[in-house]
Amino acid sequence: RTSRYDPQRRWIRADAAGLARLGPGSLPRAPVAHLRHQALRRLAPWRSGARAVLAAVLVGDRRWLSRRQRDRFRATGTAHLLAISGLHVALVTALLFGLTRRLCSAPRLAQRLSAHRPAAVLALAGTWAFVAFSGAGPPAVRAGWMATAFLLGHLVDRRADPWAALGLAGLFVTLWDPAQWLRPGCQLSFAAVAGLLLAGGAPELGAGDPTAAARLAHRLRRLLRATAVATLCTAPLAAYHFGHATAAGLVVNLWAVPLLCAAV
């Protein structure tokens, strides 16, 4: 019934049944590609800027974002939220791992098997399924390898070392596509994670039963610490590649990151 041309050189046509067709040719018929197509059809990112943001953070399709939207995210230091990367992959991995371990911890099942192993297997499969669903972009693939190192540690009853996980991700990035190291996203990603590992975790709450206000303040301090470290480690690279660096992310990410986590 309607037809228009997208500025990013993509034709969009909606037929009488309400189905959207993207691109000049037919989409692949692989199951994952079909699911992505259905998700995009339901999100309809070409209808509004808000839907375009949802398509970027949920499906990994950023083609519908306008230049103004991209500039705003860069100016506020939240452009990293638009790419499906460690934040999204970690949410999926933690959700699958936690729920499966909770289910397998039931009294009858706990007597027959160890809860963390089936949880690791299901989380491993679900993590890579989500990476494929999101388009298998380089940030998602890097996060997938780090999650794999963590989950493999649970399978062999070993605690995963964060530096080993980061090194494994770097190794597979090099084997998969060495040219990734020349891209700003790859450099920013590894710089942020390495900085967080060097800075170490924030001190835990003291003994006793802290109040709700104390727990909230502790979480805010941890989030502010992580944001500050990541910003300081990536600011030189951002200034080199994009010509500017912003400190606005120190404030904006305090509410933007939890809000995005809840939305995803």
Side-chain angles (χ1 to χ4, degrees):
R1 291 175 294 182
T2 61
S3 177
R4 69 182 179 86
Y5 185 72
D6 182 76
Q8 297 178 353
R9 301 178 183 178
R10 291 279 179 171
W11 280 102
I12 310 165
R13 288 194 297 272
D15 59 16
L19 298 177
R21 185 167 183 167
L22 312 181
S26 60
L27 289 171
R29 301 212 175 255
V32 174
H34 178 70
L35 288 176
R36 290 193 81 233
H37 174 54
Q38 293 298 321
L40 285 173
R41 183 178 68 83
R42 292 178 181 275
L43 287 172
W46 50 87
R47 291 183 179 177
S48 67
R51 290 174 176 267
V53 173
L54 283 178
V57 301
L58 296 179
V59 190
D61 193 331
R62 292 182 288 176
R63 294 173 299 172
W64 314 99
L65 293 171
S66 66
R67 183 181 297 275
R68 186 178 182 183
Q69 285 179 306
R70 296 172 187 266
D71 291 341
R72 285 181 173 180
F73 275 94
R74 292 193 188 101
T76 55
T78 55
H80 62 95
L81 299 179
L82 293 176
I84 292 187
S85 56
L87 177 67
H88 308 73
V89 174
L91 285 173
V92 173
T93 304
L95 180 65
L96 292 175
F97 185 82
L99 288 178
T100 307
R101 187 170 61 176
R102 179 72 61 89
L103 292 175
C104 293
S105 297
R108 293 183 179 180
L109 292 177
Q111 297 176 357
R112 300 181 180 180
L113 49 84
S114 178
H116 65 276
R117 287 185 175 177
V121 171
L122 181 62
L124 187 61
T127 295
W128 283 106
F130 174 72
V131 169
F133 173 78
S134 66
V141 173
R142 292 193 296 267
W145 283 119
M146 292 196 69
T148 298
F150 168 78
L151 296 171
L152 289 178
H154 278 278
L155 286 176
V156 297
D157 293 325
R158 294 176 66 95
R159 177 177 295 178
D161 179 73
W163 284 106
L166 183 63
L168 181 65
L171 174 63
F172 279 105
V173 165
T174 304
L175 296 176
W176 172 48
D177 184 8
Q180 287 293 324
W181 290 107
L182 302 177
R183 298 185 178 181
C186 184
Q187 298 175 17
L188 291 169
S189 177
F190 277 90
V193 176
L196 291 171
L197 294 181
L198 285 172
E204 298 294 335
L205 285 173
D209 188 13
T211 62
R215 291 195 296 268
L216 178 60
H218 178 67
R219 291 178 180 177
L220 288 176
R221 286 195 299 269
R222 294 183 62 182
L223 182 59
L224 180 59
R225 173 188 172 92
T227 303
V229 170
T231 301
L232 290 174
C233 292
T234 56
L237 289 171
Y240 174 78
H241 288 292
F242 308 118
H244 74 278
T246 178
L250 291 173
V251 178
V252 179
N253 280 289
L254 286 177
W255 60 268
V257 171
L259 181 63
L260 180 72
C261 288
V264 173

